Amino acid sequence: MGKKTLYHYLDGTSVFEDTRTIEEAQEENLTRIRELITAKILEAGYDEIWQRNAALGLVDNAEAGKAYIASLRAAYHDYKARLLASTRDEADAVQFTAPP
């Protein structure tokens, strides 16, 4: 498995070495964004119990929460498509744009 390493030399220079494969770089970035999206959903108050209850129709006015989660999902799919189209060197620069 590859990794990203930053080497600092005594003369003050630094060299960044990336030995990850494109698949490793993409998976690392997808994992990071999945964690970010999960945190955003939880911060908004839509934990797994709320989601289950909303899916079962037990939550009044659940449409706002469902719309928020759907917008995050759409943003994730957009990000994933751009990430999978990137090269290994571009993968870390692909930005996730979360909906408001």
Side-chain angles (χ1 to χ4, degrees):
M1 182 183 287
K3 61 181 180 175
K4 298 185 296 185
T5 307
L6 181 61
Y7 297 100
H8 297 284
Y9 297 102
L10 293 175
D11 64 0
T13 61
S14 298
V15 175
F16 179 74
E17 181 182 33
D18 189 351
T19 59
R20 299 174 300 173
T21 65
I22 182 64
E23 293 83 10
E24 290 171 333
Q26 290 169 342
E27 188 55 40
E28 180 181 311
N29 283 284
L30 286 172
T31 298
R32 183 176 49 85
I33 295 304
R34 284 184 200 117
E35 290 169 356
L36 174 101
I37 290 171
T38 299
K40 287 189 166 297
I41 290 170
L42 294 176
E43 286 171 14
Y46 305 123
D47 61 7
E48 288 182 42
I49 294 169
W50 183 92
Q51 292 176 44
R52 244 182 262 128
N53 287 338
L56 292 170
L58 302 174
V59 176
D60 293 332
N61 301 320
E63 296 310 310
K66 288 179 181 181
Y68 179 70
I69 292 170
S71 67
L72 280 172
R73 182 178 177 173
Y76 170 78
H77 286 293
D78 174 64
Y79 169 81
K80 184 176 179 180
R82 290 183 289 117
L83 179 68
L84 294 178
S86 69
T87 66
R88 184 194 69 190
D89 295 333
E90 298 168 339
D92 292 333
V94 177
Q95 295 293 312
F96 174 74
T97 306

